[in-house]
Amino acid sequence: ETGVTQTPRHLVMGMTNKKSLKCEQHLGHNAMYWYKQSAKKPLELMFVYNFKEQTENNSVPSRFSPECPNSSHLFLHLHTLQPEDSALYLCASSQWDGGTEAFFGQGTRLTVV
Amino acid sequence: AQSVSQHNHHVILSEAASLELGCNYSYGGTVNLFWYVQYPGQHLQLLLKYFSGDPLVKGIKGFEAEFIKSKFSFNLRKPSVQWSDTAEYFCAVYTGTASKLTFGTGTRLQVTL
């Protein structure tokens, strides 16, 4: 238990579906992140939120749409995905003052068919 | 842009063997350095971190890492590995840019009995 909870743990979706990934942190952190973990690639930072404001969008395709309604919750809305988007999507949180440890959730294993 | 290189992609060791995993980064300024570990089926968790001070840092489970500024390296070591150390190990660098961590591709460590 890391204090960062992601749901669902597994998701299979068709290319025309719309789904959402959810992340919740109970650590009092003010920064939240989405990472994509694919086999044999570095963890790719997708989005950064600081105090609910998006501060980084790392050239992510628009078929991924993040939402951060408050400092404790983060969503990733998915629509018209491609098979190459299949990966493990990780949520993390930290304090914004920089350089401190990031706490990760267990991830959502996404398969696009 | 900063980058992190982990040259060992897959390492196989026998129990009690010594371990050293390489990590090099490219950034000329001040950095915070991390090693994360991901055990099979589990979330990423912090193994150890370096912010400043003694360049030899000790982490959990007998791991240590040495920051060598002149070599832009932060190698992970353990004198005697155990079967339970089988996991994937990720090096990460924080440079203060948008409060994000940049990860390496990871090293899969397999410890045999």
Side-chain angles (χ1 to χ4, degrees):
Chain A
E1 178 58 52
T2 66
V4 181
T5 304
Q6 288 187 245
T7 54
R9 293 290 306 280
H10 300 271
L11 178 62
V12 179
M13 60 185 287
M15 288 190 284
T16 58
N17 291 159
K18 289 184 181 182
K19 296 286 184 184
S20 296
L21 310 185
K22 180 182 176 182
C23 177
E24 186 173 358
Q25 58 99 357
H26 307 281
L27 301 168
H29 291 159
N30 47 33
M32 295 187 77
Y33 315 80
W34 280 116
Y35 282 87
K36 177 182 178 183
Q37 186 177 19
S38 306
K40 299 181 182 177
K41 289 186 178 180
L43 267 81
E44 300 171 50
L45 179 66
M46 300 174 72
F47 301 103
V48 180
Y49 276 83
N50 168 28
F51 291 103
K52 305 186 298 177
E53 299 297 322
Q54 188 181 127
T55 59
E56 178 109 358
N57 175 338
N58 209 22
S59 302
V60 180
S62 59
R63 56 186 185 269
F64 295 92
S65 174
E67 178 190 1
C68 188
N70 55 60
S71 294
S72 299
H73 293 86
L74 185 65
F75 295 90
L76 188 62
H77 303 300
L78 316 170
H79 64 99
T80 59
L81 295 192
Q82 304 299 310
E84 59 265 29
D85 296 322
S86 298
L88 182 67
Y89 288 84
L90 295 171
C91 175
S93 71
S94 73
Q95 283 301 111
W96 181 253
D97 56 4
T100 57
E101 176 185 355
F103 289 78
F104 285 82
Q106 291 192 287
T108 295
R109 174 69 63 185
L110 174 67
T111 305
V112 181
V113 297
Chain B
Q2 68 235 36
S3 65
V4 180
S5 298
Q6 291 182 245
H7 307 295
N8 316 104
H9 297 296
H10 189 192
V11 174
I12 303 174
L13 294 173
S14 300
E15 262 203 333
S18 64
L19 170 72
E20 180 158 3
L21 301 182
C23 173
N24 288 90
Y25 63 92
S26 63
Y27 184 75
T30 302
V31 293
N32 292 341
L33 298 158
F34 303 82
W35 275 98
Y36 281 82
V37 61
Q38 189 173 32
Y39 297 103
Q42 295 191 26
H43 60 272
L44 274 163
Q45 55 188 287
L46 185 70
L47 204 53
L48 48 78
K49 61 188 177 185
Y50 171 80
F51 286 178
S52 64
D54 188 345
L56 184 63
V57 293
K58 296 190 184 299
I60 60 172
K61 304 185 180 184
F63 286 90
E64 65 178 32
E66 185 175 12
F67 171 50
I68 303 179
K69 189 175 182 179
S70 61
K71 294 185 178 180
F72 298 91
S73 70
F74 190 55
N75 292 354
L76 181 71
R77 299 194 293 248
K78 185 170 184 179
S80 175
V81 294
Q82 299 174 305
W83 178 80
S84 57
D85 293 325
T86 295
E88 192 149 15
Y89 293 82
F90 295 89
C91 182
V93 172
Y94 172 84
T95 62
T97 305
S99 192
K100 63 180 184 183
L101 287 175
T102 301
F103 284 85
T105 51
T107 297
R108 179 165 298 196
L109 172 64
Q110 185 179 346
V111 180
T112 60
L113 296 171

